[in-house]
Amino acid sequence: MSSGSRVKTAYAPQPLLATTPVTGWKALPNITNGLNNATTLTDSEMLNGTRIKSSGMVTSGEIMGDIDAELMYGTYDDLIAASFWNDWTVKSGATPSKLVIGDIRKMFAFTKDFTDINAFYLFKGVHVNSLKIDVGTDSIVKVTFGLMGLGYEASKTVSFAKTPAAAVSTAKASGMSIGDIKHDGTNIGVCVEAFSFEMDNQAEIQKCLGNNLYGGNLFAMIANISGSMTIAFSQKAYDILELQRTGGTLSIEVPIMFNATDGYTITIPKAQISGDIPSPSGNELVTAEVSYTVVDESPIITRLAAA
């Protein structure tokens, strides 16, 4: 039997799919690690003279899964950058590091170790296909990374993660850690109860004839970037909802602060919105659920840090 408390996750950059990293491993704090190796067993249609079906064979496989965590400052910067397919710009003086959508492939090896029963799993050629950040009033800010991989190994003797660096427990954030939310450059001026940011690279795995169970390569397609806000219904909410009648755009800026100096700011330069006119009961606070889709310009994540 195994205890969930004994599951350990680590990752390392993997420049070459055929080569498992021996250095650069880091422990990765998480709530759950959903990485999994799934195969497709194709049924045989051959008759064998009885009513018992003939055995099938494995014809394809996929490496996928989500890693859920509480967002901590600095801990997940590698994976956030990988989800944007880009590098953080280098901080220079008062100019902070920033991240925009790019075309730089980031590939990792991930391990999922059940240390109490010696079951060790390695997922190779892992890309970050999606990113989700959730902010609510009464909860810790959550982050989810949707992963896709190209290779797999397993062992009952030793972990594939060689001497991973210990995870550093850094500051977390909650709904109380959110700074001034801006709409079109000025304070939104209305109560925001929840905010989410989601990015899906809509990655596709190319499979060719030959011995490549999990596929030979992975390609990012058009990034589908969206999210939602729950805001108190007001004149401001009315104006925002009315934008959907014309296809107009707005900008959104949401700072997530971990202390007085360190944080991330999510900036959405242009987004189109959709949402319904509220239909509350007589005992409800009236809120508007506003969904947005990022268009034309890349979102920006700014990494704020002490000078």
Side-chain angles (χ1 to χ4, degrees):
M1 298 177 65
S2 179
S3 167
S5 64
R6 299 295 299 278
V7 180
K8 294 183 178 180
T9 298
Y11 76 101
Q14 186 181 20
L16 300 173
L17 178 60
T19 304
T20 300
V22 294
T23 60
W25 288 96
K26 299 178 184 177
L28 186 70
N30 64 92
I31 299 171
T32 57
N33 176 349
L35 271 170
N36 186 47
N37 159 48
T39 55
T40 299
L41 183 66
T42 300
D43 290 339
S44 171
E45 298 179 21
M46 295 295 289
L47 302 177
N48 60 17
T50 73
R51 293 193 303 109
I52 307 301
K53 71 188 301 182
S54 297
S55 59
M57 65 184 300
V58 174
T59 55
S60 68
E62 65 177 15
I63 305 295
M64 297 183 71
D66 291 346
I67 287 184
D68 297 312
E70 295 171 347
L71 184 63
M72 295 191 291
Y73 182 75
T75 302
Y76 304 100
D77 285 359
D78 291 344
L79 302 185
I80 294 172
S83 72
F84 273 65
W85 282 59
N86 212 343
D87 293 319
W88 292 93
T89 62
V90 178
K91 182 180 184 295
S92 176
T95 303
S97 298
K98 294 186 178 183
L99 189 62
V100 297
I101 299 293
D103 294 294
I104 300 174
R105 181 186 300 272
K106 306 281 188 178
M107 194 162 65
F108 302 93
F110 274 79
T111 56
K112 183 177 181 178
D113 295 345
F114 295 77
T115 58
D116 53 353
I117 61 167
N118 290 336
F120 306 104
Y121 300 95
L122 171 68
F123 303 93
K124 300 185 290 185
V126 175
H127 296 67
V128 182
N129 178 50
S130 64
L131 167 71
K132 182 176 182 181
I133 297 173
D134 271 315
V135 183
T137 53
D138 301 320
S139 59
I140 295 173
V141 178
K142 299 290 200 314
V143 62
T144 300
F145 301 99
L147 308 179
M148 298 174 67
L150 298 170
Y152 167 81
E153 292 183 42
S155 169
K156 293 196 293 184
T157 56
V158 65
S159 173
F160 296 92
K162 305 303 180 185
T163 59
V168 178
S169 182
T170 58
K172 301 174 185 175
S174 72
M176 296 177 63
S177 311
I178 306 304
D180 290 338
I181 298 174
K182 293 183 179 179
H183 158 247
D184 289 344
T186 61
N187 191 303
I188 194 168
V190 66
C191 175
V192 179
E193 294 186 0
F195 172 81
S196 72
F197 173 87
E198 300 181 44
M199 181 170 62
D200 183 355
N201 288 296
Q202 302 190 96
E204 295 285 344
I205 291 178
Q206 185 176 50
K207 293 188 176 182
C208 307
L209 297 177
N211 185 22
N212 58 346
L213 178 63
Y214 302 106
N217 209 342
L218 183 149
F219 299 91
M221 303 300 173
I222 292 176
N224 185 11
I225 308 165
S226 60
S228 65
M229 292 192 300
T230 302
I231 60 179
F233 196 58
S234 58
Q235 288 284 308
K236 176 71 72 165
Y238 170 92
D239 291 339
I240 291 173
L241 287 173
E242 281 296 292
L243 285 173
Q244 65 189 315
R245 296 207 300 154
T246 62
T249 62
L250 52 73
S251 67
I252 306 167
E253 185 177 303
V254 179
I256 303 172
M257 301 304 298
F258 297 83
N259 53 44
T261 58
D262 299 334
Y264 301 107
T265 298
I266 300 172
T267 302
I268 298 163
K270 291 181 71 175
Q272 293 178 308
I273 67 95
S274 63
D276 295 333
I277 298 170
S279 301
S281 72
N283 295 314
E284 292 180 316
L285 292 171
V286 185
T287 58
E289 300 290 335
V290 179
S291 298
Y292 66 85
T293 301
V294 178
V295 296
D296 297 335
E297 298 181 37
S298 172
I300 304 164
I301 296 185
T302 302
R303 183 172 56 195
L304 306 173

